[in-house]
C-alpha cells in the first residue's frame, strides 16, 4: 500500500475513490482522506457517498491494499464513491494532537528527557499524556500550563518531513515513546513532525498548521499512575 493519503494532503477532506473490494458492511479503496486512528488519536468521522445514498462511516481498517471503510447497512457500494471527512472532528483532533506535542516537548526538555508511556485524545476536548517520571513534583508539572499557553500565543509553525528510519533512530529525541514508535512506510521512511524552535519528533498523526490556531489550554489534573508514571490531563 502506498503512503496514507492524509499524510501528504492533510487539508483535503473529500475525495473520490474507486471501490477495490467489498464485504458485508465495508468497502476497500486504495486512497482515502480518512485518518484510521492510532497513537492515541481517534479515527476520523465522516460519510461515504455513492449512487445508492449516504452511509456514515463507523470504522476504519487498514490492510496491504488500502483502507476499509465500515458502515452499519446492507448496502453494497460499487464503482466510484465519495469519501467525506467531518471537518470539525478532524480539527479537534489536530488541535489536541498539536498540544500533546507541546506538553511532550516541555516535559522532555524540563524533566531530563522523560519518555512518553501513553497518550489518548478525547472527543470532549481533553487529552492525557503519561510519562516515565518517578519522583516528579506534581506542582512542577501543573506549572507547565503557563509555558504551554505561551507556545500557543507564539503561533509557532508546525510542519512535517520524511526521513529514513535508520537515520531517524540515530538522532536523539526523535523517538519519544517508551513502548511504541510510528510505523515505517514501505519506502523505509518515517514521518517527522516539527514545531519550530520547540520540538521535533516522529509521529503519524494529524496536527494544526501552527500552534496559534489552538484555543487556550489548561492542565486540569495530575495523577500518579503507579511508582513510575505521571499522567497529565489537559483541556482546551
Amino acid at each position: 500500500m502506498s503512503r496514507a493519503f492524509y499524510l501528504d494532503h492533510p487539508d483535503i477532506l473529500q475525495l473520490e475513490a474507486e471501490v477495490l473490494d467489498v464485504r458485508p458492511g465495508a468497502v476497500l479503496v486504495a486512497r482515502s482522506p480518512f485518518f484510521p486512528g492510532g497513537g492515541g488519536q481517534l479515527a476520523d468521522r465522516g460519510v461515504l457517498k455513492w449512487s445508492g445514498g449516504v452511509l456514515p462511516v463507523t470504522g476504519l481498517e487498514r490492510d496491504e491494499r488500502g483502507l476499509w471503510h465500515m458502515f452499519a447497512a446492507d448496502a453494497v457500494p460499487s464503482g466510484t464513491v465519495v469519501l467525506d471527512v467531518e471537518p470539525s472532528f478532524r480539527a479537534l483532533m489536530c488541535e489536541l494532537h498539536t498540544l500533546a506535542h507541546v506538553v511532550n516537548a516541555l516535559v522532555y526538555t524540563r524533566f531530563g528527557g522523560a519518555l512518553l508511556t501513553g497518550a489518548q485524545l478525547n472527543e470532549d476536548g481533553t487529552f492525557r499524556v503519561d510519562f516515565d517520571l518517578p519522583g516528579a513534583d506534581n506542582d512542577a508539572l501543573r506549572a507547565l500550563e503557563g509555558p504551554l499557553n505561551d507556545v500557543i500565543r507564539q503561533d509557532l509553525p508546525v510542519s512535517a518531513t520524511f526521513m529514513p528510519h535508520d537515520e531517524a533512530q540515530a538522532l536523539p529525541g526523535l523517538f519519544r515513546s517508551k513502548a511504541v514508535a510510528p510505523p515505517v512506510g514501505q519506502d523505509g521512511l518515517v514521518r517527522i513532525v516539527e514545531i519550530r524552535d520547540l520540538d521535533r519528533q516522529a509521529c503519524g498523526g494529524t496536527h494544526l498548521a501552527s500552534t496559534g490556531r489552538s484555543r487556550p489550554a489548561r492542565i486540569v489534573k495530575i495523577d500518579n499512575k503507579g511508582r513510575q508514571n505521571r499522567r497529565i490531563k489537559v483541556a482546551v
Side-chain angles (χ1 to χ4, degrees):
M1 183 177 62
S2 61
R3 193 154 71 200
F5 181 86
Y6 76 88
L7 291 175
D8 293 318
H9 309 281
D11 296 326
I12 296 178
L13 301 183
Q14 187 180 83
L15 185 70
E16 286 191 356
E18 290 295 321
V19 173
L20 300 179
D21 199 355
V22 62
R23 68 188 191 207
V27 295
L28 175 73
V29 297
R31 299 196 315 160
S32 170
F34 280 76
F35 173 76
Q41 180 175 335
L42 300 175
D44 280 332
R45 298 173 179 176
V47 297
L48 181 154
K49 302 174 183 177
W50 66 301
S51 59
V54 179
L55 299 169
V57 175
T58 60
L60 297 153
E61 181 181 298
R62 188 185 298 275
D63 73 12
E64 69 279 358
R65 295 179 293 166
L67 192 65
W68 287 93
H69 295 65
M70 273 74 84
F71 48 86
D74 295 328
V76 185
S78 60
T80 300
V81 297
V82 176
L83 304 169
D84 204 341
V85 173
E86 181 183 315
S88 60
F89 189 75
R90 165 68 74 85
L92 175 63
M93 290 296 105
C94 289
E95 180 181 33
L96 297 181
H97 205 147
T98 302
L99 293 182
H101 275 240
V102 175
V103 174
N104 188 325
L106 293 172
V107 170
Y108 186 80
T109 57
R110 298 177 184 219
F111 292 85
L115 294 178
L116 191 74
T117 57
Q120 183 61 56
L121 313 183
N122 302 309
E123 60 184 289
D124 64 357
T126 68
F127 68 90
R128 56 95 172 162
V129 277
D130 300 349
F131 295 95
D132 184 13
L133 280 170
D137 180 358
N138 287 354
D139 287 336
L141 293 172
R142 289 188 190 94
L144 295 176
E145 182 175 306
L148 168 59
N149 282 288
D150 285 342
V151 170
I152 294 172
R153 285 189 290 268
Q154 290 172 40
D155 195 21
L156 303 178
V158 181
S159 60
T161 57
F162 289 86
M163 179 184 296
H165 181 259
D166 292 344
E167 182 180 333
Q169 277 193 315
L171 294 174
L174 287 191
F175 292 90
R176 300 277 182 81
S177 174
K178 196 171 183 179
V180 298
V184 182
Q186 288 184 340
D187 52 9
L189 301 180
V190 64
R191 183 166 174 259
I192 307 299
V193 175
E194 180 174 1
I195 302 175
R196 185 184 296 172
D197 300 326
L198 177 74
D199 187 48
R200 190 167 178 248
Q201 60 176 291
C203 182
T206 65
H207 308 83
L208 299 174
S210 68
T211 60
R213 299 192 182 191
S214 172
R215 291 166 286 179
R218 58 191 176 93
I219 294 177
V220 296
K221 193 174 184 182
I222 305 291
D223 280 329
N224 298 342
K225 305 302 288 185
R227 294 169 58 186
Q228 294 288 115
N229 292 303
R230 295 293 182 273
R231 173 169 293 176
I232 303 173
K233 185 176 181 179
V234 180
V236 292

